[in-house]
């Protein structure tokens, strides 16, 4: 959801800038707005990009520092923007590697994709990518839409999964972005998959301060918040499991130029994916949002050290 919203906001600007670049009009402009990050890296160098949100920047820094620690030459770029900007940069060789999310990437490259289970999404994604690109091992870490409640609400109704909501949905107001009310995997999906019809729907923001405040103040009893958002840990919210996969899997995965996926590079990135968890992503976001506001590089270094990968 977060990545989908970013894409919607940035798509028009990114596509317009790409058109200018294609016509030779981008020489003096901002290369990030067009998806270009300059010339391709040498054959022995991995050029790493990231999207324009904190989590992507942290994971990209983790990739870069881990590769450097194993002697791989690395170049990094500033945050690029939406998928509409960075995916063409991967295709034209401007960057070689970026953190991605299996579900949204699959839907981007295969518009009619219907897979939702983690392994099915990953398998379909591998088949759908162009021959110049590949994904390495997916991590257990996911950042996707989640139904979230307060600790008090979870305790009161013994809520652990979305299945548990059905008996009490009719008592609850739900909060989320306006489009969640009509999206197939939003309210309609929850109704269909879990037989859960909420008492009312309160249009708020996309997992932002309005939604958080709505939960804390009791204006809504359940809400759509991204599963690794720092507010979950900060406020001791409870993410309800989605055992029937209403929301498509969104496992974090390295998307890389196939020619740069050497055995050494693959081994390093697969080791990161083996350690990265959803709770770990949540902790990384919480650390980045803490009072000291450490850089993505510092947060990445701390994680690599704690996981024995520095």
């Amino acid at each position: 959801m977060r990545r989908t919203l970013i894409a919607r906001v940035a798509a028009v600007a990114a596509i317009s800038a790409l058109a200018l670049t294609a016509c030779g009009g981008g020489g003096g402009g901002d290369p990030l707005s067009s998806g270009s990050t300059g010339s391709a890296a040498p054959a022995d160098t991995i050029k790493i990009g990231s999207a324009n949100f904190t989590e992507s920047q942290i994971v990209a820094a983790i990739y870069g520092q881990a590769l450097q620690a194993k002697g791989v030459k690395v170049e990094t770029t500033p945050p690029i923007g939406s998928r509409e900007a960075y995916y063409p940069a991967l295709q034209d060789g401007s960057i070689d590697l970026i953190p991605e999310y299996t579900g949204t990437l699959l839907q981007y490259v295969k518009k009619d994709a219907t897979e939702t289970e983690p392994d099915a999404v990953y398998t379909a994604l591998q088949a759908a990518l162009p021959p110049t690109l590949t994904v390495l091992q997916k991590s257990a870490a996911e950042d996707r839409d989640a139904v979230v409640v307060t600790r008090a609400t979870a305790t009161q109704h013994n809520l652990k999964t979305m299945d548990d909501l059905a008996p009490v949905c009719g008592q609850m107001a739900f909060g989320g972005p306006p489009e969640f009310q009509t999206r197939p995997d939003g309210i309609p999906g929850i109704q269909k998959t879990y037989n859960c019809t909420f008492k009312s729907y309160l249009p708020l923001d996309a997992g932002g301060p309005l939604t958080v405040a709505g939960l804390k103040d009791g204006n809504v009893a359940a809400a759509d918040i991204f599963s690794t958002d720092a507010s979950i840990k900060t406020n001791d919210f409870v993410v309800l499991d989605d055992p029937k996969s209403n929301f498509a899997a969104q496992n974090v995965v390295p998307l890389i130029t196939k020619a740069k996926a050497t055995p050494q590079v693959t081994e390093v990135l697969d080791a990161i994916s083996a350690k990265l968890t959803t709770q770990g992503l949540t902790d990384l976001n919480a650390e980045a949002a803490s009072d000291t506001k450490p850089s993505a590089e510092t947060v990445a270094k701390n994680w690599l050290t704690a996981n024995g990968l520095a």
Side-chain angles (χ1 to χ4, degrees):
M1 181 70 171
R2 175 186 293 139
R3 295 161 297 283
T4 302
L5 289 170
I6 289 169
R8 287 176 183 168
V9 172
V12 174
I15 292 169
S16 297
L18 281 168
L20 286 173
T21 302
C23 293
D30 177 3
L32 299 184
S33 66
S34 68
S36 172
T37 59
S39 59
D44 64 345
T45 302
I46 303 291
K47 195 169 186 178
I48 304 176
S50 68
N52 57 349
F53 57 93
T54 301
E55 183 175 287
S56 179
Q57 294 158 29
I58 293 172
V59 178
I62 288 173
Y63 290 169
Q65 291 180 28
L67 288 168
Q68 286 179 315
K70 294 298 183 180
V72 178
K73 294 180 181 179
V74 168
E75 290 183 20
T76 59
T77 70
I80 298 170
S82 71
R83 187 172 287 106
E84 282 78 4
Y86 65 68
Y87 191 82
L90 278 160
Q91 292 181 302
D92 69 19
S94 299
I95 61 171
D96 302 309
L97 169 65
I98 198 165
E100 257 291 6
Y101 299 84
T102 54
T104 50
L105 179 58
L106 174 61
Q107 291 162 5
Y108 181 81
V109 297
K110 185 184 179 186
K111 305 301 182 186
D112 60 348
T114 59
E115 292 82 0
T116 59
E117 296 284 351
D119 289 344
V121 170
Y122 180 67
T123 299
L125 176 58
Q126 289 175 301
L129 287 172
T132 57
L133 300 176
T134 189
V135 285
L136 303 183
Q137 288 299 312
K138 65 179 172 66
S139 69
E142 290 189 79
D143 182 3
R144 60 176 170 174
D145 292 272
V147 174
V148 176
V149 299
T150 63
R151 180 70 61 183
T153 298
T155 301
Q156 179 184 356
H157 298 291
N158 194 28
L159 302 179
K160 296 180 181 178
T161 75
M162 290 171 66
D163 268 324
D164 300 330
L165 276 174
V168 295
C169 275
Q171 308 169 29
M172 294 182 168
F174 190 96
E179 63 269 24
F180 192 83
Q181 192 170 7
T182 56
R183 274 177 43 206
D185 62 348
I187 294 300
I190 294 171
Q191 290 174 335
K192 180 180 178 180
T193 306
Y194 291 103
N195 192 29
C196 173
T197 300
F198 291 101
K199 179 181 179 180
S200 60
Y201 189 91
L202 184 62
L204 298 169
D205 53 11
L210 294 179
T211 302
V212 172
L215 273 176
K216 291 174 66 176
D217 297 342
N219 292 324
V220 296
D224 173 46
I225 295 181
F226 309 117
S227 60
T228 62
D229 196 281
S231 66
I232 294 173
K233 183 175 182 178
T234 301
N235 296 284
D236 194 30
F237 291 155
V238 176
V239 175
L240 301 183
D241 289 339
D242 178 19
K244 296 177 181 176
S245 298
N246 176 68
F247 301 117
Q250 302 290 353
N251 299 88
V252 177
V253 66
L255 175 62
I256 188 170
T257 303
K258 188 174 289 187
K260 296 293 183 79
T262 65
Q264 181 186 22
V265 169
T266 299
E267 181 179 0
V268 172
L269 297 178
D270 284 352
I272 291 169
S273 292
K275 294 277 190 178
L276 200 58
T277 65
T278 300
Q279 183 59 54
L281 279 183
T282 304
D283 292 342
L284 290 171
N285 287 327
E287 182 179 352
S290 64
D291 291 341
T292 58
K293 296 292 188 295
S295 67
E297 290 73 21
T298 298
V299 175
K301 182 178 180 181
N302 293 342
W303 185 88
L304 288 165
T305 300
N307 285 276
L309 296 173

